[in-house]
């Protein structure tokens, strides 16, 4: 489709018609031949009327052109001055009027990838470049829209244009194709345009080759979401190198050219106006009308209202007094003495001036002066010298706003006309500084402070990647429209980037940004009441207020106090000396932080400046940060598990998605996670939308203006397919964590909570290990900064490198926007193997030998560490030996039992005979029977001793009897034994 468009433009500009109207014909040049010459021919007004036409004559050279302010008069083929009210570039053309799309320009939206939801309403058919009078405005969505213009040059030339590109959520590129739709050779610097400050216009110039040049201005959103983006603005497109100009261009309304031969038109002064092709401007009736500079018509003055004036605090006078006064917004466009008009309120009472800001003093004059070098003041007292062993702390702390500080500037930029007329962007108001009125609601109101560099206190070390300074400010916004406050910074005057922004009304709050490199930086606050085009003031009461601004360690700063420093070792020396990295100042001496502690850059000097690292972490040699060395130990009961996460690698990456925007744009979220190691093993994310000139090696090393180097970062990746761009885009790089908190099997550490319920449950006995990370950068939604938890899970089915994933309930990696959760499953996340993880299997004994084999206990939940012992072959006793031994023992036992049985049988027989003999003897000696067998009263039971007891012995008893050679089976009463008489 694009090629068809190219050829269409090519055909349309093959012939450059010159309309020199004369009666019934006009003149035109033929195409140039191979010798570079051409002919001037007459073309009839009515087709077919070929009689009476002048004869063709040789024309000017193909490369001939007139000077600026002249045009080629075809009848005489001579350069002629443009008349008043018109202008000419000579060999160029200019487009500076955008009430409608100029002839030859077209806007083309590139078809997006198929929307997975199949909603036809979400196409890009309505996306285009829109004329806004003085400029063109790009689309505000993620559709890719190209502004196309084709021109045929007879000689080498150039194209230049002015643009505003304040928002890196939009892509903006300019490139050139030939008539074969082949892209011309172009460097990344000329193709990808640099960001501009809000409200400021930049100029971009590119050389053109002779022949057909098809110019493309292409925009496309990265990811819009709910955020309203700033469109790209384009104006004053000028092309040099056309063969000639056959006519002059009339001045557009609101401009004029007073003298013949003009190359430009001048804007009409204030309170004047002009129409199309004017040679002068017409004054307005200033009594009832007004007109801004460059107006095409006068407007009626409205009655004055509260929107037409503002209040300010006067500077302190010689008596130390100030007062609130009210002033009309200039230029004044309203009428006072009409019905319904408001009058200017009277001035307030004179009040004592507020004290000076810290670091300044008042020497009985109306102004505050900075304290001399080496002295300090809190703003209420005279400057004092720091004591021995201390040094001044440099910086700025503004909390009183009676006058604008000397190192701050304020300005106002109108979207279409650069600077606002005679207006300050911000006004001081005593306790705060607030946004001014501006000339219209979509003006950018700018407040800027420039810091030439940073200087750490003498005794504070400066390891790379840590804090050099910080800016903190307290603010609020009060809005009824879609206002927005931007906080931006420009490092080394390269390009301005938005650090943070706040939309609509925001309660009073504080924000801090840490500077991690020593460089010249400009901090800018820009306030815009509405993002929509506007030339009136409807929301003048929508304001942004800044209460305090402080910048630490500014090299050109003043001192509000003194700080303890380390002294030289030389006797009686009071000179402060620097401490080595990782050292703090204690009693004017440099002391190294203890092992596994890190030094807090902005802490008060002393031992408390060293903070301990978290569990399972250690500090680097400079005590600048804590990190994991990939080793972790967990003890539960009498079992200790040791982990070595080195096989997982120092940095892991995860690209989840794809996801689709409402317009069908496919994108991915890529997370880079530094698991182990210090400064040299941090994760790197690169934004190549506004700096595609970065080389791959620069991105890997974390170099370049748009490169982020930290523990965990996130980038949005847009593939090249479906967007019309020639490379995949990486943008919106976010720092998720710049510090490692520690590692633990617990689900909470330092207020950061892991959420194991977000992941599939595991029945394995090995616990998950959670790595906790933290970022101190505050955002509008995360007041305490972001945090992250990386859960390492032992999974023998995964590779050693493992697999990273995010919770299915939170596909973006976070459920609340502040805490990010990652699951890293790997066999490398299993504990180190020990002897508990394998067991021994004994083989069968064959030939007097057997094998001992060692195998892992399944499932194997360990890696590395102890290895399986080698297979062993040991001697053993075979089954034949044990069978013979068993048979011998059995035979011996049988013989013993038979012998004992015979013996006891014989003994029992003798005993039986003996007992019969005793019984028969008792019967022969029997006395007369007693009358009673009962025991009579008074008889002693102890006298009843005549008793025969017979007990049948057990086998055990018999054996005992044999052993003792005594066997007693029957016991006779002693009295009976005396009575026995053997016959």
């Amino acid at each position: 489709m694009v090629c068809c468009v190219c050829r269409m433009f090519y055909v349309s500009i093959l012939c450059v018609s010159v309309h020199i109207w004369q009666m019934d014909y006009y003149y035109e040049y033929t195409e140039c031949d191979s010798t570079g010459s051409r002919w001037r021919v007459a073309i009839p007004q009515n087709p077919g009327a070929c009689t009476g036409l002048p004869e063709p004559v040789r024309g000017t050279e193909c490369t001939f052109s007139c000077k600026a302010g002249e045009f080629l008069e075809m009848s005489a083929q001579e350069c002629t001055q443009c008349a008043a009210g018109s202008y000419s570039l000579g060999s160029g053309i200019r487009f500076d009027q955008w009430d409608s799309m100029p002839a030859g320009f077209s806007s083309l939206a590139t078809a997006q990838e198929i929307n997975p939801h199949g909603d036809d309403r979400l196409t890009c058919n309505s996306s285009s470049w829109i004329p806004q009078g003085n400029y063109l405005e790009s689309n505000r969505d993620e559709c890719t829209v190209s502004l196309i213009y084709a021109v045929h040059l007879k000689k080498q030339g150039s194209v230049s244009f002015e643009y505003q590109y304040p928002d890196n959520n939009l892509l903006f590129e300019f490139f050139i194709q030939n008539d074969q739709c082949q892209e011309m050779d172009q460097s990344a610097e000329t193709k990808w345009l640099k960001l501009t400050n809000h409200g400021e216009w930049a100029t971009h110039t590119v050389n053109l080759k002779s022949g057909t040049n098809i110019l493309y201005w292409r925009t496309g959103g990265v990811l819009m979401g709910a955020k309203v983006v700033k469109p790209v603005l384009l104006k004053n497109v000028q092309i040099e190198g056309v063969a000639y100009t056959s006519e002059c261009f009339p001045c557009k309304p609101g401009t004029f050219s007073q003298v013949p031969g003009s190359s430009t038109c001048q804007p009409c002064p204030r309170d004047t106006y002009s129409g199309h092709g004017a040679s002068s401007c017409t004054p307005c009736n200033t009594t009832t009308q007004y007109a801004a500079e460059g107006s095409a018509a006068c407007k009626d003055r409205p009655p004055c209202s509260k929107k037409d004036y503002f209040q300010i605090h006067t500077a302190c006078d010689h008596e130390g007094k100030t007062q609130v006064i009210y002033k009309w917004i200039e230029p004044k466009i309203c009428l006072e003495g009409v019905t319904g008009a408001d009058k200017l309120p009277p001035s307030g009472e004179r009040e004592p001036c507020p004290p000076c800001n810290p670091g300044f003093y008042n020497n009985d004059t109306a102004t505050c002066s900075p304290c001399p070098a080496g002295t300090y003041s809190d703003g209420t007292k005279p400057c004092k010298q720091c004591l021995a062993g201390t040094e001044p702390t440099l910086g700025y702390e503004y909390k009183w706003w009676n006058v604008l500080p000397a190192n701050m500037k304020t300005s106002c930029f109108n979207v279409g006309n650069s600077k606002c007329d005679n207006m300050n962007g911000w006004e001081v108001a005593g306790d705060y500084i607030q946004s001014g009125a501006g000339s219209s609601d979509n003006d950018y109101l700018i407040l800027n402070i420039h810091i030439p560099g940073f200087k750490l206190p003498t005794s504070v070390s400066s390891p790379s990647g840590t804090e050099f300074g910080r800016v903190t400010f307290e603010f609020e916004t009060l809005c009824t429209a879609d206002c927005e406050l931007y906080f931006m910074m420009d490092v080394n005057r390269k390009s301005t980037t938005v650090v943070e922004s706040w939309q609509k009304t925001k309660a009073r709050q504080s924000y801090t940004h840490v500077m991690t490199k020593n460089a010249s930086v400009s901090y800018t606050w820009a306030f815009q009441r509405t993002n929509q085009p506007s030339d009136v003031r409807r929301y003048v009461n929508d304001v942004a207020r800044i209460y305090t601004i402080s910048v630490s360690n500014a090299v050109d700063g003043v001192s509000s106090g003194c700080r303890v420093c380390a002294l030289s070792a030389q006797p009686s020396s009071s000179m402060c000396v620097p401490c080595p990295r990782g050292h703090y100042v204690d009693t004017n001496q440099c002391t190294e932080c203890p092992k596994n502690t890190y030094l807090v850059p902005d802490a008060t000097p002393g031992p408390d400046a060293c903070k301990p690292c978290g569990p399972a972490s250690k500090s680097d040699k400079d005590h600048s940060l804590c990190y994991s060395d990939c080793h972790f130990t967990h003890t539960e009961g009498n079992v200790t598990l040791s982990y070595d996460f080195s096989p997982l690698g120092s940095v892991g990456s995860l690209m989840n998605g794809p996801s689709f925007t409402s317009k069908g744009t496919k994108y991915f979220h890529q997370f880079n996670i530094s698991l182990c190691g210090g400064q040299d093993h941090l994760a790197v994310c690169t934004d190549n939308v506004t700096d595609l000139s970065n080389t791959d090696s620069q991105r890997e090393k974390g170099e370049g203006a748009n490169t982020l180097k930290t523990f965990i970062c996130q980038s949005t990746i847009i593939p090249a397919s479906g967007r019309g761009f020639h490379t995949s885009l990486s943008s919106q790089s976010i720092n998720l964590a710049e510090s490692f908190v520690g590692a633990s099997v617990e689900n909470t550490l330092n207020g950061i909570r892991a959420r194991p319920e977000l992941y599939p449950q595991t029945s394995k006995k090995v616990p998950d290990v959670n790595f906790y990370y933290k970022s101190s950068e505050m955002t509008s939604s995360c007041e305490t900064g972001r945090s992250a938890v990386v859960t390492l899970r032992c999974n023998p089915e995964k590779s050693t490198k493992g697999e990273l994933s995010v919770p299915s309930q939170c596909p973006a990696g976070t459920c609340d926007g502040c805490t990010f959760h990652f699951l890293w499953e790997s066999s490398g996340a299993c504990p180190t193997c020990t002897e508990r993880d394998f067991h021994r299997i004994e083989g069968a004994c064959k030939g007097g030998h057997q094998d001992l084999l060692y195998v892992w206990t399944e499932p194997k939940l360990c890696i590395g560490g102890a290895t399986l012992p080698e297979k062993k072959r040991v001697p053993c006793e075979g089954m034949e030996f044990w069978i013979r031994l068993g048979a011998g023992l059995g035979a011996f036992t049988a013989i013993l039992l038979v012998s004992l049985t015979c013996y006891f049988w014989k003994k029992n027989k003798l005993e039986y005979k003996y007992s019969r003999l005793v019984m028969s003897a008792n019967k022969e000696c029997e006395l007369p029977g007693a009358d009673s067998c009962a025991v009579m009263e008074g008889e002693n039971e102890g006298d009843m001793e005549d008793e025969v007891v017979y007990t049948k012995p057990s086998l055990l008893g018999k054996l005992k009897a044999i052993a003792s050679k005594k066997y007693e089976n029957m016991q006779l009463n002693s009295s009976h034994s005396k009575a026995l008489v053997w016959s």
Side-chain angles (χ1 to χ4, degrees):
M1 177 184 296
V2 175
C3 240
C4 294
V5 174
C6 296
R7 298 187 188 280
M8 178 183 68
F9 281 117
Y10 177 57
V11 172
S12 68
I13 51 92
L14 282 179
C15 296
V16 181
S17 298
V18 183
H19 302 284
I20 307 296
W21 300 105
Q22 294 181 1
M23 300 291 291
D24 298 325
Y25 61 89
Y26 61 94
Y27 290 112
E28 185 177 297
Y29 280 129
T30 62
E31 289 293 321
C32 294
D33 58 23
S34 59
T35 62
S37 60
R38 56 188 173 182
W39 292 80
R40 188 200 71 178
V41 297
I43 307 298
Q45 298 286 358
N46 299 319
C50 296
T51 58
L53 296 177
E55 293 294 327
V57 298
R58 184 172 293 274
T60 59
E61 295 295 326
C62 291
T63 58
F64 175 83
S65 61
C66 296
K67 297 179 181 179
E70 298 179 341
F71 72 100
L72 182 63
E73 201 281 315
M74 292 294 288
S75 297
Q77 297 193 74
E78 294 178 352
C79 293
T80 305
Q81 282 190 339
C82 292
S86 63
Y87 73 96
S88 168
L89 299 177
S91 62
I93 51 178
R94 178 189 295 152
F95 302 93
D96 56 5
Q97 188 172 351
W98 306 95
D99 296 315
S100 60
M101 192 70 75
F105 281 86
S106 68
S107 180
L108 177 66
T110 303
Q112 298 293 298
E113 296 183 82
I114 298 176
N115 191 329
H117 305 294
D119 193 342
D120 294 335
R121 296 173 301 172
L122 304 178
T123 63
C124 295
N125 295 335
S126 60
S127 299
S128 65
W129 287 77
I130 304 172
Q132 295 287 1
N134 292 325
Y135 56 88
L136 271 178
E137 180 182 284
S138 74
N139 58 310
R140 298 170 181 249
D141 53 30
E142 68 264 21
C143 293
T144 301
V145 182
S146 299
L147 178 68
I148 308 172
Y149 182 77
V151 63
H152 190 77
L153 302 185
K154 294 299 182 180
K155 59 181 180 179
Q156 291 184 350
S158 64
V159 57
S160 64
F161 54 88
E162 296 180 53
Y163 72 94
Q164 280 189 18
Y165 178 29
D167 197 336
N168 61 1
N169 287 302
L170 277 176
L171 309 174
F172 184 29
E173 64 172 338
F174 173 74
F175 62 95
I176 307 162
Q177 290 184 350
N178 59 20
D179 58 346
Q180 301 299 318
C181 293
Q182 296 174 338
E183 188 170 332
M184 303 286 195
D185 293 335
Q186 200 172 348
S187 67
E189 292 183 356
T190 59
K191 179 176 180 179
W192 295 95
L193 284 87
K194 301 293 184 181
L195 289 171
T196 63
N197 293 335
H198 286 63
E200 294 185 358
W201 291 90
T203 301
H204 189 70
T205 302
V206 178
N207 293 328
L208 301 178
K209 296 180 179 179
S210 60
T212 300
N213 293 265
I214 304 174
L215 313 179
Y216 285 82
W217 293 266
R218 184 151 64 186
T219 60
V222 180
L223 287 178
M224 301 298 102
K227 183 177 177 63
V228 178
V229 300
K230 306 294 182 185
V232 173
L233 306 183
L234 184 68
K235 71 175 184 179
N236 292 339
V237 178
Q238 183 170 315
I239 302 173
E240 296 283 352
V242 297
Y244 59 90
T245 299
S246 60
E247 60 182 351
C248 296
F249 299 96
C251 293
K252 69 176 183 177
T255 64
F256 72 102
S257 63
Q258 194 170 10
V259 297
S262 297
S263 60
T264 60
C265 296
Q266 302 298 322
C268 287
R270 181 174 302 284
D271 292 331
T272 64
Y273 72 98
S274 70
H276 191 75
S279 60
S280 63
C281 298
T282 305
C284 298
N285 181 2
T286 55
T287 304
T288 59
Q289 293 180 321
Y290 74 98
E293 182 181 356
S295 295
C298 297
K299 296 180 180 180
D300 292 334
R301 293 182 181 271
C304 291
S305 67
K306 294 180 180 179
K307 298 179 180 179
D308 295 304
Y309 62 82
F310 62 97
Q311 73 172 38
I312 62 170
H313 283 67
T314 62
C316 288
D317 57 22
H318 64 282
E319 297 180 357
K321 301 285 186 178
T322 182
Q323 67 179 148
V324 174
I325 64 172
Y326 297 87
K327 298 178 65 176
W328 294 111
I329 295 174
E330 296 293 340
K332 183 182 176 184
I333 62 173
C334 63
L335 294 175
E336 294 184 67
V338 296
T339 304
D342 289 345
K343 294 183 179 180
L344 200 65
S347 299
E349 296 182 0
R350 297 174 70 242
E351 299 176 351
C353 291
C356 295
N357 283 307
F360 293 82
Y361 73 101
N362 190 328
N363 55 355
D364 297 329
T365 63
T367 59
C368 294
S369 303
C371 288
T375 63
Y376 71 97
S377 171
D378 63 356
T380 63
K381 301 176 182 177
C383 299
K384 295 181 180 180
Q385 195 80 26
C386 288
L387 300 176
T390 64
E391 61 177 334
T393 57
L394 298 179
Y396 291 104
E397 184 179 358
Y398 299 123
K399 57 183 180 179
W400 303 110
W401 303 95
N402 191 53
V403 294
L404 188 70
N407 65 337
M408 299 186 74
K409 295 180 180 180
T410 177
S411 57
C412 171
F413 286 92
N414 183 272
V415 171
N417 298 314
S418 296
K419 289 190 175 182
C420 311
D421 295 322
N422 303 320
M423 290 188 180
N424 287 331
W426 292 68
E427 300 287 350
V428 295
D431 294 334
Y432 52 83
I433 183 172
Q434 70 175 16
S435 54
S439 60
S440 62
D441 286 338
N442 66 338
D443 289 349
Y444 288 103
L445 307 174
I446 307 296
L447 179 66
N448 175 272
I449 182 172
H450 177 68
I451 307 298
F454 296 89
K455 181 183 178 181
L456 292 172
T458 303
S459 299
V460 176
S461 58
S462 56
S464 60
T466 58
E467 178 178 334
F468 283 91
R470 60 175 56 194
V471 55
T472 302
F473 58 94
E474 192 175 351
F475 71 98
E476 69 174 349
T477 55
L478 304 172
C479 301
T480 58
D482 57 331
C483 72
E484 189 162 8
L485 175 65
Y486 300 87
F487 173 61
M488 304 173 289
M489 71 174 182
D490 181 1
V491 179
N492 292 329
R493 300 187 183 274
K494 289 186 176 180
S495 64
T496 300
T497 57
V498 177
V499 179
E500 187 60 81
S501 64
W502 299 266
Q503 293 179 324
K504 299 186 178 181
T505 298
K506 295 296 179 184
R508 185 169 175 175
Q509 57 188 277
S510 178
Y511 181 82
T512 299
H513 175 73
V514 176
M515 190 68 182
T516 57
K517 63 172 64 175
N518 192 358
S520 172
V521 59
S522 290
Y523 294 112
T524 301
W525 293 264
F527 181 69
Q528 188 181 37
R529 291 185 170 89
T530 179
N531 191 28
Q532 303 304 317
S534 174
D535 58 356
V536 296
R537 292 191 294 259
R538 277 195 296 264
Y539 308 111
V540 70
N541 292 325
D542 291 5
V543 296
R545 292 172 179 166
I546 297 179
Y547 292 89
T548 61
I549 297 177
S550 64
V551 181
S552 65
N553 301 334
V555 69
D556 62 340
V558 295
S559 178
S560 60
C562 299
R563 177 189 177 100
V564 176
C565 67
L567 297 178
S568 172
Q570 297 179 358
S572 67
S573 175
S574 61
M575 180 182 298
C576 293
V577 296
C579 288
R581 293 180 177 181
H583 288 64
Y584 65 92
V585 179
D586 188 17
T587 60
N588 298 117
Q589 298 295 324
C590 296
T591 305
E592 184 177 5
C593 284
K595 184 179 180 181
N596 293 334
T597 63
Y598 67 97
L599 185 63
V600 180
D602 61 335
T604 303
D608 292 339
C610 301
K611 301 296 182 182
C613 293
S617 66
K618 59 191 300 184
S619 63
D620 59 358
K621 63 179 182 180
D622 294 331
H623 298 277
S624 61
L625 56 77
C626 299
Y627 66 95
S628 169
D629 62 355
C630 282
H631 291 86
F632 179 78
T633 301
H634 170 62
T635 301
E636 186 172 352
N638 58 350
V639 177
T640 298
L641 299 178
S642 298
Y643 297 81
D644 182 4
F645 300 120
S646 301
L648 278 69
S650 58
V651 178
S653 295
L654 164 66
M655 182 179 290
N656 68 330
S659 301
F660 293 86
T661 66
S662 60
K663 296 288 187 179
T665 302
K666 184 199 299 186
Y667 67 93
F668 300 84
H669 280 146
Q670 177 168 327
F671 300 93
N672 293 331
I673 301 173
S674 173
L675 190 67
C676 307
Q679 289 281 1
D680 297 333
H681 298 87
L682 295 178
V684 177
C685 290
T686 302
D687 183 354
N688 70 351
V689 172
T690 57
D691 195 9
L692 287 175
S693 59
N694 276 354
T695 63
D696 292 338
S697 61
Q698 283 179 316
R699 298 184 191 116
E700 291 175 0
K701 295 177 182 178
E703 300 174 353
N706 298 308
T707 299
L708 182 64
K709 193 173 182 181
T710 184
F711 274 99
I712 302 180
C713 57
Q714 171 194 312
S715 295
T716 300
I717 306 297
I718 302 176
S721 61
R723 291 304 305 271
F725 295 101
H726 304 291
T727 181
S728 296
L729 301 176
S730 172
S731 68
Q732 299 180 349
S733 296
I734 302 173
N735 175 21
L736 300 183
E738 78 274 359
S739 60
F740 176 63
V741 179
S744 173
V745 298
E746 302 297 331
N747 293 331
T748 303
L749 182 63
N750 287 8
I752 306 173
R753 187 170 71 91
R755 298 184 59 185
E757 70 275 7
L758 295 177
Y759 307 118
Q761 299 300 312
T762 177
S763 59
K764 297 181 175 64
K765 298 180 180 180
V766 176
D768 295 338
V769 180
N770 298 314
F771 275 53
Y772 294 88
Y773 300 85
K774 179 69 176 176
S775 171
S776 60
E777 291 185 6
M778 297 181 295
T779 66
S780 55
S781 57
C782 306
E783 295 182 356
T784 60
R786 299 183 179 95
S787 58
V789 182
V790 180
T791 300
L792 303 181
R793 175 170 292 179
C794 172
N795 190 339
E797 299 177 359
K798 301 292 183 179
S799 65
T800 303
K801 186 69 176 177
E803 180 180 319
L804 269 166
S805 63
V806 294
S808 57
Q809 302 95 315
C810 312
T814 177
C815 300
D816 58 5
C818 295
T819 303
F820 288 76
H821 301 272
F822 305 94
L823 177 64
W824 198 334
E825 294 183 279
S826 166
S827 58
C830 296
T832 304
C833 295
T834 64
E835 295 180 356
R836 298 187 306 270
D837 297 302
F838 59 83
H839 59 276
R840 188 178 71 179
I841 298 178
E842 298 180 355
C845 186
K846 296 180 179 179
H849 292 82
Q850 68 176 157
D851 294 331
L852 300 181
L853 184 64
Y854 297 87
V855 296
W856 295 110
T857 302
E858 294 296 335
K860 182 186 177 185
L861 300 176
C862 66
I863 187 173
T867 59
L868 288 176
E870 296 292 335
K871 179 180 178 180
K872 297 180 180 179
R873 190 172 183 81
V874 298
C876 64
E877 299 292 343
M879 289 300 296
E880 296 178 357
F881 169 78
W882 293 107
I883 292 174
R884 290 196 298 269
L885 179 60
L889 290 174
F892 173 77
T893 304
I895 295 172
L896 179 61
L897 290 175
V898 170
S899 302
L900 290 174
T901 302
C902 294
Y903 174 79
F904 288 131
W905 178 80
K906 184 176 180 181
K907 291 291 284 183
N908 284 338
K909 186 175 181 182
L910 293 174
E911 291 169 357
Y912 176 72
K913 290 181 178 181
Y914 176 76
S915 63
R916 294 281 299 192
L917 177 61
V918 172
M919 290 176 65
S920 60
N922 286 340
K923 288 182 180 181
E924 293 177 358
C925 301
E926 187 175 350
L927 296 176
D931 293 336
S932 173
C933 294
V935 179
M936 298 301 293
E937 184 177 356
E939 291 181 342
N940 189 356
E941 293 182 2
D943 298 333
M944 302 295 295
E945 297 179 357
D946 299 330
E947 182 179 3
V948 178
V949 179
Y950 175 77
T951 303
K952 185 176 181 179
S954 62
L955 178 60
L956 182 59
K958 294 176 181 179
L959 292 175
K960 290 180 178 180
I962 295 174
S964 61
K965 300 298 183 179
K966 296 181 180 180
Y967 181 83
E968 294 180 359
N969 187 49
M970 178 174 290
Q971 298 177 355
L972 300 177
N973 192 294
S974 59
S975 59
H976 288 185
S977 62
K978 293 177 182 179
L980 289 177
V981 178
W982 293 86
S983 57

